[in-house]
Amino acid sequence: MKDSRSMRDLRGFAGFTLVEVMVVLLLLGFILLLTFPNFRGLIAPRDFKRAVLGFVGTLRYAQSQAATTKMHHRLNIDIKENAFWLSREGEKGKFDRDPSSLGQLTSLPAGVVFLDVYQPERGKVNDGAAYVEFSPTGWAEECTIHIKKSEQAVFTLFIHPLGGKVEVVEGYMEKVQR
């Protein structure tokens, strides 16, 4: 009997009321609303940096494949479509898509764009197609590539001729001509 009586006494105190649950959910929603822009800011730059690093990886792969296979390789850039792919020299100097997955058209993530490609021999390309060529001896065409996510998020990629070294600099930079 004593047990059933204590259960009746506790029944009135067990759980939360609907009003209490609604107040807690409202407060959590408000806190999430205030902090969500901060979370978005943490995620977006990582996507941009990941896209730049993926592109740099493709440049380095093109250079190493040129040296390994003793064939000229090109990293083709379609500025208008914000896409790139790798090709290699075939018969009669014609360039065909590389058989690897990097030979497929790869698009930059949404909001990430190629601004321009500058090469001393060909000048600056703001629209259309450009390419960076890598020779079997390890040399690369000197090139500057600008990629942006927003006005504040811009990266400059310098491709140095000797060894195809890629230098990534934050901001829009132009190579000083000597």
Side-chain angles (χ1 to χ4, degrees):
M1 277 254 186
K2 189 176 180 184
D3 291 332
S4 65
R5 187 172 180 201
S6 62
M7 291 296 269
R8 254 185 280 153
D9 291 340
L10 291 176
R11 214 177 291 173
F13 297 104
F16 297 102
T17 66
L18 182 60
V19 173
E20 291 171 328
V21 171
M22 293 301 287
V23 168
V24 169
L25 288 175
L26 182 68
L27 288 173
L28 286 174
F30 186 68
I31 291 170
L32 183 64
L33 183 66
L34 290 175
T35 59
F36 182 70
N38 294 337
F39 289 134
R40 205 173 0 149
L42 291 173
I43 294 167
R46 279 194 200 134
D47 290 344
F48 179 47
K49 288 179 181 177
R50 186 177 297 131
V52 170
L53 291 175
F55 183 72
V56 169
T58 305
L59 286 165
R60 289 184 175 146
Y61 176 80
Q63 189 272 333
S64 76
Q65 283 299 106
T68 303
T69 63
K70 301 297 181 203
M71 299 170 69
H72 283 86
H73 278 67
R74 282 185 182 169
L75 182 67
N76 303 280
I77 302 168
D78 188 333
I79 296 171
K80 184 178 180 183
E81 297 297 322
N82 295 310
F84 59 93
W85 68 95
L86 187 62
S87 60
R88 67 179 183 184
E89 189 175 29
E91 293 181 24
K92 299 179 185 175
K94 182 182 173 210
F95 281 82
D96 300 315
R97 288 195 184 225
D98 192 73
S100 72
S101 62
L102 295 175
Q104 302 303 313
L105 190 69
T106 304
S107 297
L108 293 175
V112 179
V113 297
F114 288 111
L115 288 176
D116 56 54
V117 176
Y118 172 77
Q119 294 171 310
E121 301 82 29
R122 290 190 282 280
K124 187 180 280 190
V125 178
N126 296 319
D127 192 24
Y131 62 86
V132 182
E133 193 162 323
F134 297 88
S135 77
T137 60
W139 284 80
E141 285 185 307
E142 183 176 1
C143 184
T144 303
I145 301 169
H146 296 103
I147 301 176
K148 91 172 190 175
K149 169 82 174 166
S150 65
E151 295 305 320
Q152 295 81 21
V154 177
F155 279 100
T156 301
L157 284 71
F158 294 111
I159 302 169
H160 300 285
L162 184 58
K165 181 184 174 221
V166 180
E167 177 184 359
V168 180
V169 179
E170 202 165 335
Y172 190 99
M173 311 288 271
E174 293 188 359
K175 192 124 182 157
V176 178
Q177 300 299 320
R178 297 176 194 181

